[in-house]
Amino acid sequence: DPIAYAMGTGSYDVQSIDFDNLQSVVGQISIRAQNAKTISTDYGTKAKIFSLDEVSKLKTKIDGLGARERSAFLGAIADVVGADGVGIVHRQLGEEYSTGFLLAADPSMRANGVAENYFLGKAGIAEKQTKVGIVTSPSTGIPLKLEALNGLIDNPVVREKVVDSITAVAAGKVMSGTSAGEAMTQAMTEIVGEIYDYNGRKVALKDGVRLSDLEDAVRSNVRSFERLKGVVAKLPNGMPLTGEQVAKLLPDAELRMSTTGEDNTFDVVLSNGQKLIQSDGSPFTIKAVNFEK
């Protein structure tokens, strides 16, 4: 436990955290986030922000907060630790808290009340409150609105988390007076985005980005690759592709939700089912942007 050891020796300015004092939480977490990589390297362990004992105390603190306070508290932690630190805290908190933390870590999700509704809905579902009954398909038991996810999300683990998020956010909205149908529609848009058909497959776009913006992004990539000489990408089997070849393949390629998790960003999948890979080995992605915003 590198954090506990550093705390005991006074190394790296690591001190104990008073989770009832936001100033103590923010100040100490900031120091730890800045030193996380160094501590990890020095002790030969995974990067950590909290000691094992502190993780337990943090979870107790989270459990004792209301939905709004929980969203604000976790959001404050996320803001301080930064993008790299969010991944560390997410891992340390574990599966039970992972989705809620990531929603609270997203400034727009927090500002729009999505994280708060998630926590409110999760509590309502756990307490079996009658208000949160969501209409489901008699044949599958899946909430009706979520059948729109079919053909959009292939990974069952990812789909399960998305379904959990949408259902909980919708439940939170219902508890605040929104009708079940409207709550599901709103939650779907907030968590997944607007769903469109593109090249025979569903894509989801968020934050006002439209299908025409995605089509523009593909055309822009085509024009860029037409001008490139030599090998610029490859297939997973190692087959090299020139810029001209990539330009010819892009218009008919499928676009699937990026493994990076970034909104409005898609992996490119060719007609043979293989993903397009950049020359450095990372997935080739296309990002759609609404320039009118």
Side-chain angles (χ1 to χ4, degrees), residues 86-149:
V86 163
I88 299 172
V89 175
H90 175 253
R91 172 170 49 78
Q92 286 201 268
L93 280 176
E95 195 66 27
E96 181 183 355
Y97 301 85
S98 63
T99 300
F101 174 64
L102 291 180
L103 290 176
D106 185 318
S108 63
M109 291 286 191
R110 198 163 71 238
N112 294 331
V114 179
E116 180 181 340
N117 275 321
Y118 174 83
F119 291 124
L120 183 63
K122 288 293 280 187
I125 292 170
E127 295 163 6
K128 294 182 169 57
Q129 294 191 27
T130 55
K131 283 185 178 181
V132 303
I134 304 295
V135 177
T136 61
S137 164
S139 60
T140 64
I142 298 173
L144 289 171
K145 295 286 184 178
L146 300 192
E147 291 181 348
L149 296 177

